[in-house]
Each structure stands twice: as C-alpha cells, then as structure tokens.
Amino acid sequence: MSPVGAEGAGPVGVVLVSHSAAVAAAVAELALGLAGGGEGPPPVLPAGGTPDGGLGTSSELIGAAARAVDRGAGVALLVDLGSAVLTVKAMLVEGDELPGNSRLVDAPFVEGAVAAVVTASAGGDLDAVVAAASEAYSYRKA
C-alpha cells in the first residue's frame, strides 16, 4: 500500500452521504476547514437528502457527487445512517452508478469524514483514507 495516490491520478475524492442536505454540507465544510495545509483540499462533495430537498437518500445525487469528485485515485463514500448504507451498497453491487474505484467506508460520519479529508489532503491513497476514517471509531472523548 502506497501512502500516496496512484501515479498520475489526483487526490482521493470524498462523498458525504446524509439523509439531510444541510448535515452533509455542514460536515463537508467542517472537514475541509479542519484539513488545511497538506497538498491542498481534496475533492469533497455532500450528497444529502432527496432531489426535491426532502429527507432521505438519493442514488442520483450520490452517483453525481461520486463522479464529480473522482480524479482517478478512488472515491471514499461515508454515510450517516442505515438506509444510506443500503443505498450505497446497492449502487456498488449494480456496478455502473459509481466510479469503479469507489468504496463504502465503515466509519463514524463526522469524525470519519474529518479523518478521511485530512488524509486525502495529505496525499493518502484510497486504502490510507479508508483506514484513517475507520480508525475514528476508536477516538475517545472521555
């Protein structure tokens, strides 16, 4: 596993999938704001809510965001709740709705998003981004 993205590829992209457009956008803003430095901000997009602005998840919005952030080094998808997991899993199985190098990340939504974006901004490859986000489960708060 190389600590940097694939040669010739851009940074790993990150998609934040929430049932709420506002939550997804706020977590994206927070993660990008905390990432600072590194090789510059990686492509990060929220994919929250439904196309009509309601609560829920949309494979259309998720797919569009994943394609938009894909620079060839992979796309990490972080999700907030159960049905978002099911939506992304179904999209991965379908095989044509997400870039081929997309991966669902098992991580807490906020802490995992920050870890993923910080690692991607430092030039980490997809494996490193996924590992950093997943390790956020072990962050202690007390």
Side-chain angles (χ1 to χ4, degrees):
M1 174 176 75
S2 169
V4 294
E7 190 167 326
V12 171
V14 178
V15 175
L16 302 173
V17 181
S18 174
H19 285 69
S20 163
V23 168
V27 173
E29 179 183 3
L30 174 67
L32 284 165
L34 294 175
E39 297 181 9
V44 177
L45 284 175
T50 60
D52 66 359
L55 293 176
T57 56
S58 163
S59 59
E60 178 183 325
L61 295 177
I62 297 165
R67 289 186 296 277
V69 301
D70 184 20
R71 303 289 187 274
V75 177
L77 296 111
L78 287 94
V79 300
D80 65 353
L81 300 170
S83 63
V85 173
L86 297 176
T87 300
V88 172
K89 280 185 175 182
M91 293 174 75
L92 289 167
V93 168
E94 188 65 31
D96 61 353
E97 295 183 272
L98 295 170
N101 53 357
S102 297
R103 200 170 317 162
L104 174 61
V105 181
D106 182 14
F109 191 60
V110 175
E111 295 93 333
V114 171
V117 172
V118 167
T119 303
S121 73
D125 66 6
L126 184 58
D127 287 337
V129 169
V130 169
S134 297
E135 289 169 7
Y137 273 125
S138 65
Y139 295 172
R140 302 288 310 190
K141 297 179 183 176

